Amino acid sequence: MAVPKTLTLPAIPIRDMVLFPGARVPFVVGRSASVRTLELAIKAGDHLLMLTQKDAKVEAPGQDDLYPIGTLALVESVLALPKDYYKVGVKGIARVSLRRYDDSGEIIQAEAYLLAEPTQPPAESLQPFHQAVEAFLGRNSDASRLLSMDQIRELPLGKAIDTVAGLLPAEVKQKQEILDQLEIGPRLEAMMRLLELDAARSEVDRTLDEKTRQRLDQDHKQYVLNEKMRVIQQELGKKEEKDEFARLKDQIEAAGMSAEARAKALEELERLEAMPPQSAEATVSRTYLDWLLALPWTTMADERLDLMEAERVLDEDHSGLDRIKARILEHLAVMARLQKVSDMNEGGPPGRAASSASPLVLPHAEAGQSPSAASTKVSEGENRPPLRGPILCLVGPPGVGKTSLARSIARALNRPFVRLSLGGVRDEAEIRGHRRTYIGSMPGRIISLMKKAKVRNPLMLLDEIDKMASDFRGDPSSALLEVLDPEQNANFQDHYLDVGFDLSQVLFLATANIRHQIPEPLEDRLEVLELSGYTTKEKLAIAEQHLLPRALEGHGMKDLGVHFEPAALEKLVQDYTREAGVRQLEREIANILRKLARHTLQPEKGEAFDSVITAERVPKLLGPEKFLETRAEDTAPPGLVNGLAWTPTGGDLLTIEAAVLPGKGVLKLTGKLGEVMQESANLALSYVRARAERLGLKRDFLDTVDLHVHVPEGAIPKDGPSAGITLATALISVLTGIPARADLAMTGELTLRGRVLPIGGLKEKLLAAHRQGRKAVLIPSENARHLEEIPAEVREQLSIHLVSHMDEVIQLALTRMPQPLGAESAGPGRENPATAQ
């Protein structure tokens, strides 16, 4: 066996290509090391080693980055290019096997074995190979110009494979596999795989090209036939039946549009007729006409303005909320009067509004109902007067029934109900729509809901109006100003329609959770109705009358006789929910029913089914109590005072603790207090210092002590001025050593002169005091006018004291009055406040 010849020559790593023996290829050299190596190769005899990189992205490849089988090449031409680049033409001579690769010097050198070409042909026939090559040349015009089948047959098989591989469009890795094969048999197998892959790829490309051509031919054929049909119809001058454009015109004439909208629709129809049906502009115009035709220009719901029926529906759907229901009925009464006056002025039968108290007919109550049963089409002369009364906005915590109230009003009036959720809306186009020049433009939500309602006078609920935002896309609250203004909404301009649409017959209602988050210009157009939280008694009534029947039906347990004892419902309210509304209460009831449903089907997995829910069974079904109410204690240490706070989900008890520590007069505040509440604490301390002697404290009592005020539940942010008197009472209590009443809670803003100013959220705060078991409450005297809003049961069980000055607060809140300095009895803490505790 002959020993392979060893060569030591300059080497150049190449990217994105494989050089085969016998092939001529040009390539560009630009790396500095490769350029110097090329210069050495030309001086040393024009021979060099060509080695392909495994990864073309590597800028300075080492031996591990190169394929071990390369090619010995002869440099045939060198052409200098700008920026120190060279275009080199080389010819492959033979395969080499890399032994050592050295790029440590200025030039790259490599040591390799020269590999001899095998001479033994394969035993199998070469006809499949020749057929595959002939097919490849037949579908590749570039390769067929450089190579012919006669040349392939004359070449030895190994060189023929290398020649075809150099022309075949394949990946570098696939070509390198052929270069790596030293035996004829494996090399031929690798070549046949590549030829088969190229044939399959060419077949896919041919199929795609054919389908694309057929589709283009079909579209062209359809266009030509449509144009010929149009010309033939124009030449004949008549049609056997109305075409699509004639039907559209008839629909426009019958839609009852305003004069502006009708002229716009006819103009758009003329443009549509002149457009090719396949054009994108024709689709835009047709969609625009469809929107105009779908809107209820004249269709009105058969409204019923019967106060007795409305009151019945409101009472049936909601327990409590007497003041809110009364205001809603007043609103409906004004609407009924306006309608009656309008009928009399137009010569219609007097008392039409009252006589319309026919049996309840909902616009879409039954599937088989005809449109005429739910709505009537009125002529332009029979338009009703616009609703110019205030727009009601229901403000209250979650779960108190704002949205369901709106649904009940719609049911009472026999109007369709549509809801526009404004939570998170920050784009003006959501209200007004996009102009038709934008791709994919659509009308805004107002027009979309009018199309959905199918009448001009639905009840439209603007839900979560306090949660809108604004950014660079506009301010949606400003866009709502035109919608809610009765002087402007009769000609509402949507950017997509670009014509006025009458919204004056729409009954708008709005809801919000927090009033001060409603934009001021928008709030000016609303009449705000405050919905406070429910008392325990009201929650129990709601659960028995509404939540339980609905939950039993929704869980398929109406026929099982499931019964909740009053004590069980009360335990759910007191120990498993802490909310102003009843949403969480409904979830807990549903949680119990789910467990009972499983008991009926799998009694072996748990306890046997029992249809009676007692207070003792509730923890077994729901687990431990989620909330433990803080009941009033008989006594409290000095410095502990109960305040009252308002939260978006209702009221809560705010316990304030104060402590005296040795120090130098520093006031430390903890509990994640807001800036306003921190100012209230500093103000309270200033008030105490100003009245120190009257409270039995020395003027310099702060020289040797620090004060620490803490509000528990420190992770929850707290802010607002209404804790002013509570903070002052806590400081006075801890400094004088006199405890505050444990069964008393208070709320009110304090001034430096000791005046007690009014606060907001009184109902929520008193409900919280009642729920937490407090017996007495101190409130500002100026809030006396709000006491009529408090439920009677709360007023009866709470001793409510009206205070106007801090002196009254001290007298009612502390267990005894502080003795001024100089008095005979000295209370604890006056001589040394640091030891008062």
Side-chain angles (χ1 to χ4, degrees), residues 769-785:
H770 177 261
R771 184 174 65 246
Q772 299 277 8
R774 296 309 181 262
K775 297 179 181 179
V777 177
L778 304 184
I779 65 171
S781 57
E782 295 185 32
N783 284 110
R785 61 186 187 275

Side-chain angles (χ1 to χ4, degrees), residues 688 691-699 701 732 735-738 817-823 825-833:
V688 173
R691 302 173 64 85
E693 293 184 354
R694 295 188 59 182
L695 295 172
L697 303 172
K698 295 182 179 180
R699 287 187 173 274
F701 71 92
I732 294 172
L735 288 169
T736 60
I738 304 174
M817 285 293 293
Q819 295 294 327
L821 283 183
S825 69
R830 287 192 296 276
E831 294 302 327
N832 186 4

Side-chain angles (χ1 to χ4, degrees), residues 522-649:
L522 200 57
E523 185 181 2
D524 185 58
R525 287 164 168 77
L526 305 172
E527 178 180 342
V528 176
L529 300 181
E530 300 275 358
L531 278 76
S532 301
Y534 295 112
T535 64
T536 300
K537 183 178 179 180
E538 290 173 335
K539 289 182 180 181
L540 295 177
I542 293 171
E544 292 177 355
Q545 299 173 21
H546 303 284
L547 302 185
L548 272 176
R550 186 165 61 204
L552 289 172
E553 184 174 357
H555 289 75
M557 304 178 69
K558 201 171 182 180
D559 58 340
L560 296 179
V562 176
H563 172 67
F564 281 72
E565 291 186 351
L569 288 176
E570 186 173 355
K571 187 170 185 63
L572 285 177
V573 171
Q574 296 287 358
D575 298 341
Y576 289 86
T577 65
R578 180 171 289 181
E579 56 178 347
V582 293
R583 193 169 291 163
Q584 184 61 31
L585 176 60
E586 186 173 14
R587 295 192 191 102
E588 298 296 346
I589 291 174
N591 196 0
I592 290 178
L593 294 182
R594 286 195 298 270
K595 288 178 169 52
L596 293 182
R598 188 182 181 190
H599 292 168
T600 62
L601 301 177
Q602 290 183 316
E604 71 279 0
K605 297 293 184 179
E607 62 180 277
F609 173 74
D610 186 354
S611 61
V612 179
I613 308 300
T614 62
E616 292 75 17
R617 289 188 64 195
V618 171
K620 298 179 182 178
L621 294 170
L622 297 181
E625 292 83 352
K626 295 181 180 179
F627 303 102
L628 296 177
E629 297 291 353
T630 305
R631 295 297 177 182
E633 301 176 0
D634 295 335
T635 59
L640 183 66
V641 181
N642 298 315
L644 295 171
W646 177 92
T647 67
T649 57

